[in-house]
Amino acid sequence: MTTQTKLTVPNREATITAKKPSIFNTFRRDYQLWIMVFPAIVAIIIFNYIPMYGIQLAFRDYDYTKGLTGGAWHGLYYFKMFIDNYLFKDIMWNTIKISLATIIIGFPAPILLALLINQIRWKRAKKTLQTTVYMPHFISIVVMVGMLNVMLSPNTGIVGNLMNHLGYGDVNLLASTNSFIPVYVLSDIWQHCGWNSIIYLAALSSVDPQLYDSSKIDGANRWQTIRHIDLPSIVPTMIILFILSMGNVLGTGFEKIFLMQNTLNIPVSEVIATYVYKIGILSNQISYSSAIGLFNTLINFIFLFATNAIAKRVSNISLW
Amino acid sequence: MEMIRYRKKTANDMIFDIGVAVLAVLSFLIVAYPLYFICIASISDSTLVATGKVLLFPKGISMFGYKEILGDSRIWTGYRNTIVYTLLGTFVNLLFTLPAAYALSRPEFRARRFLMFMFVITMFFSGGLIPTYLLIKGLHMTNTMWVFIFPFCVNVFNLIITRTFFETSLPKELYEAASIDGCSHFKFFSSVALPLSRAVVSVIALYYLVAHWNDFFTALVYIRDNELQPLQIILRDILLSNQVFEGGAGGGGGGASGGYAQQFADQIKYGVILVSTLPILIVYPFIQKYFEKGVMIGSVKG
């Protein structure tokens, strides 16, 4: 730091005269902080808050000439249109099935992995395993789906070959309605399980070592240590992450499903997110797709609040 | 550290240790083998791969796939575009995120609670795809490179991680001492706070970098011009266009690998997977040591 004699010391008088100076009083002192935070504020307002204002499209007829909010008010018309749509039941059911499967199988997987990694005593082996299981997280979704395609392909893929050898015949795992969800969920676990375990490992590493020592004195075996020390210590993290994942119960990843879709699996793979994209961006039914999007957001919110409330009741741990 | 052994290692513990070892090796193989397989398949004869003969070592080694990939102009365009979007995008991300995180970490900054609240709301509420699309269109950003750079350039999760890091790792006395010496916030940020926060800057730079590199959605929705397409869109054309033919929905959509002989198509696919992921895999080991720290900071107040 170079010293500059000219610069002012923080405004001392302000702090002395008023115990809690208002934002305006401190502006002169903090103007540099305001400058630093200003670009981020502008970005958030433009790209996050203006679209929020645009949600009202869902209740209006979109009119190109009148802009985002100029169209005539149409109430819940588009919501009714969606609910009455013959695809409604399928799309809702697909969305719920896929996300519940992801949560039920995908949620415990990183916990088990973290408990496993935590049990490895040999430092180098532990490090190697960690480095390896984190890696797939960085693979792009396009590449991930591309990998699935080449490996699961019925004639030429390695898994397709394996199935052939095992006598299952030429099953096309990519194009069958039965295998879509298992392939989606398992590949998701393969890709993100390691990364998601980091947070549990961090929680496990902050366990007081004295607990382990005293459990040893009490004659606990390794299973009992896991059950009575490791698990309880990550329960708060588990609950918070569970609430967050429930808040996204209808927010199935758009990209992966979209890329995995083909004409054969579409009956089980069309979800709200892909439907909104197709209706809104590809066929330009702006108001209708906004309504579907909003419907999705609302249901997510209900789940978030409900899970949060239940967690608060049961365990006293909650998001807010 | 000293191990306390009040209890002898029992048979039970032995079984447990063996179980752990088996599971660990198993999970290692489950993750590592597909990655390894892609590497060997990309240099092996496609017919041998297709008949399941290539399992542990490459066979019938040929670099044909890589030759084709490197000779493909779309890949190069995609690569160039993605590199530009990634570098410029990450730079803008950091430019917007780091100073804001610093300002929001200062306890004397009176607006910080309100502003933080404003940022956090956007993690839970969003306008959704369609209003965002109309906004971007209204700003005339569709079909320009700027749509990759400016929209959503502040990721609130990264902002929180950085802010928490500044809050917890910079001692309060440090700024007080510096300000008495006449150091302004600008100066303190650039010559004290940033150099002391290399860990968190690397982590969020990596997060942003990877997000840009892997971004497929932005181009799918906002870009029509072939010259502007990033690598991920090209990848989709190459990797997934065959699927389109098989599904019977061809209709010329994609049709990218049509020019290649079918028997080499798979080799090219494996090669493309590797070539497109390579840059991230190169950066990865250097930053890996910061991961746990980064995630841990984020989880404290995330």
Side-chain angles (χ1 to χ4, degrees):
Chain A
M1 269 162 285
T2 53
T3 32
Q4 286 165 288
T5 41
K6 232 186 88 199
L7 279 165
T8 50
V9 180
N11 201 339
R12 281 282 159 84
E13 295 99 292
T15 28
I16 291 164
T17 47
K19 280 239 164 98
K20 270 202 167 178
S22 75
I23 289 173
F24 300 103
N25 286 340
T26 54
F27 189 78
R28 209 173 71 87
R29 181 191 72 191
D30 292 340
Y31 79 98
Q32 288 191 331
L33 294 176
W34 278 102
I35 292 173
M36 290 167 101
V37 79
F38 185 71
I41 295 176
V42 172
I44 286 282
I45 288 178
I46 293 179
F47 294 108
N48 293 85
Y49 280 91
I50 292 181
M52 278 186 219
Y53 181 68
I55 287 178
Q56 50 177 296
L57 272 176
F59 306 97
R60 289 178 187 276
D61 278 329
Y62 179 63
D63 187 337
Y64 281 101
T65 52
K66 290 177 185 154
L68 215 57
T69 56
W73 189 259
H74 222 127
L76 294 174
Y77 174 80
Y78 289 105
F79 291 91
K80 280 207 195 85
M81 189 169 151
F82 178 50
I83 291 169
D84 292 339
N85 189 322
Y86 71 101
L87 285 171
F88 174 75
K89 246 177 70 188
D90 284 346
I91 293 178
M92 283 301 289
W93 183 228
N94 289 342
T95 313
I96 291 170
K97 249 193 329 201
I98 293 175
S99 25
L100 280 187
T102 312
I103 292 173
I104 291 169
I105 306 176
F107 185 75
I111 300 172
L112 298 176
L113 183 66
L115 291 174
L116 174 70
I117 291 175
N118 196 47
Q119 286 300 326
I120 302 174
R121 302 282 174 79
W122 185 20
K123 280 257 168 63
R124 282 211 32 207
K126 188 176 176 180
K127 204 82 243 163
T128 314
L129 181 61
Q130 280 176 288
T131 310
T132 316
V133 295
Y134 297 165
M135 208 173 326
H137 177 76
F138 296 95
I139 295 173
S140 81
I141 293 171
V142 179
V143 167
M144 186 66 221
V145 178
M147 276 170 66
L148 288 176
N149 276 350
V150 281
M151 293 181 134
L152 301 188
S153 141
N155 306 312
T156 54
I158 181 169
V159 177
N161 269 318
L162 189 75
M163 303 280 280
N164 246 336
H165 277 291
L166 294 176
Y168 286 99
D170 261 348
V171 229
N172 191 348
L173 291 171
L174 298 163
S176 128
T177 47
N178 290 326
S179 59
F180 179 79
I181 292 180
V183 169
Y184 176 85
V185 172
L186 292 178
S187 62
D188 223 49
I189 292 176
W190 181 82
Q191 196 180 2
H192 299 296
C193 180
W195 184 257
N196 294 339
S197 72
I198 295 183
I199 193 162
Y200 294 111
L201 282 170
L204 283 172
S205 70
S206 62
V207 174
D208 186 350
Q210 286 182 1
L211 282 176
Y212 291 119
D213 294 345
S214 50
S215 78
K216 264 183 197 151
I217 295 169
D218 290 344
N221 66 22
R222 306 262 301 267
W223 270 115
Q224 288 165 326
T225 327
I226 293 184
R227 189 152 148 25
H228 298 287
I229 300 177
D230 288 354
L231 262 182
S233 71
I234 55 174
V235 162
T237 317
M238 273 163 59
I239 292 175
I240 293 289
L241 291 182
F242 187 73
I243 297 171
L244 284 175
S245 66
M246 284 307 278
N248 206 20
V249 73
L250 291 192
T252 47
F254 165 82
E255 294 179 38
K256 192 165 168 197
I257 293 182
F258 179 74
L259 289 168
M260 282 177 73
Q261 273 180 354
N262 53 45
T263 42
L264 294 170
N265 66 23
I266 199 94
V268 292
S269 64
E270 189 77 294
V271 295
I272 296 180
T274 53
Y275 192 63
V276 168
Y277 170 76
K278 284 171 194 168
I279 295 291
I281 306 288
L282 300 183
S283 17
N284 255 319
Q285 290 176 267
I286 298 292
S287 295
Y288 182 37
S289 57
S290 303
I292 303 172
L294 182 57
F295 181 79
N296 194 355
T297 314
L298 284 179
I299 292 191
N300 279 341
F301 248 89
I302 293 169
F303 271 97
L304 181 70
F305 276 90
T307 326
N308 194 51
I310 294 169
K312 205 170 189 173
R313 266 280 168 82
V314 177
S315 65
N316 230 351
I317 297 169
S318 65
L319 282 182
W320 54 81
Chain B
M1 247 191 281
E2 196 190 340
M3 292 296 274
I4 304 176
R5 293 191 183 272
Y6 290 90
R7 213 164 52 84
K8 262 189 270 171
K9 222 174 161 71
T10 61
N12 205 340
D13 283 351
M14 281 290 280
I15 296 170
F16 186 90
D17 276 333
I18 292 170
V20 166
V22 169
L23 285 176
V25 169
L26 209 64
S27 29
F28 174 80
L29 287 178
I30 289 173
V31 176
Y33 183 70
L35 300 173
Y36 174 71
F37 177 75
I38 287 167
C39 297
I40 58 172
S42 74
I43 52 169
S44 296
D45 187 333
S46 285
T47 33
L48 292 176
V49 175
T51 48
K53 300 249 162 50
V54 177
L55 289 174
L56 289 178
F57 302 104
K59 278 180 192 150
I61 294 179
S62 87
M63 292 292 161
F64 179 81
Y66 286 107
K67 236 179 260 165
E68 285 294 296
I69 293 165
L70 297 180
D72 190 304
S73 67
R74 286 171 311 145
I75 298 249
W76 287 110
T77 319
Y79 234 100
R80 189 200 61 209
N81 286 341
T82 294
I83 289 174
V84 172
Y85 304 154
T86 301
L87 291 182
L88 199 61
T90 307
F91 175 72
V92 171
N93 289 144
L94 295 178
L95 200 69
F96 278 61
T97 308
L98 294 177
Y102 171 80
L104 293 170
S105 77
R106 300 304 315 171
E108 75 270 23
F109 188 38
R110 301 250 13 128
R112 70 191 281 244
R113 290 191 125 241
F114 169 75
L115 290 178
M116 213 51 227
F117 183 67
M118 207 181 107
F119 281 109
V120 169
I121 282 181
T122 64
M123 291 174 88
F124 297 101
F125 288 96
S126 79
L129 172 64
I130 304 299
T132 313
Y133 175 75
L134 293 174
L135 169 79
I136 306 260
K137 218 170 160 192
L139 293 171
H140 300 290
M141 274 189 175
T142 43
N143 245 336
T144 66
M145 65 175 286
W146 305 113
V147 75
F148 295 99
I149 314 289
F150 287 111
F152 309 107
C153 57
V154 179
N155 178 305
V156 177
F157 184 72
N158 290 345
L159 181 78
I160 292 174
I161 294 180
T162 324
R163 184 200 67 154
T164 313
F165 187 91
F166 284 144
E167 263 173 9
T168 49
S169 69
L170 298 176
K172 272 185 192 123
E173 299 76 27
L174 209 57
Y175 177 71
E176 280 164 23
S179 72
I180 289 167
D181 286 345
C183 184
S184 68
H185 279 299
F186 287 163
K187 185 110 189 105
F188 184 75
F189 172 68
S190 60
S191 44
V192 180
L194 274 190
L196 284 178
S197 311
R198 223 166 275 154
V200 79
V201 174
S202 327
V203 169
I204 69 154
L206 177 79
Y207 287 173
Y208 278 132
L209 212 74
V210 172
H212 281 293
W213 190 272
N214 289 342
D215 182 16
F216 160 75
F217 187 70
T218 311
L220 178 75
V221 175
Y222 300 110
I223 299 292
R224 294 279 162 271
D225 194 344
N226 278 336
E227 279 301 298
L228 290 170
Q229 296 293 9
L231 191 58
Q232 297 298 330
I233 293 281
I234 316 273
L235 282 179
R236 183 193 57 163
D237 290 346
I238 294 174
L239 290 174
L240 305 180
S241 56
N242 268 18
Q243 185 193 21
V244 177
F245 297 135
E246 276 171 15
S257 62
Y260 302 122
Q262 183 56 42
Q263 65 184 109
F264 294 116
D266 277 354
Q267 200 187 25
I268 289 167
K269 284 181 185 175
Y270 287 115
V272 158
I273 288 174
L274 220 58
V275 166
S276 63
T277 318
L278 207 60
I280 288 177
L281 297 185
I282 291 173
V283 186
Y284 173 77
F286 294 101
I287 310 197
Q288 200 237 338
K289 58 179 173 183
Y290 297 124
F291 284 165
E292 237 150 281
K293 208 169 191 179
V295 172
M296 208 146 64
I297 302 161
S299 67
V300 174
K301 286 188 178 178

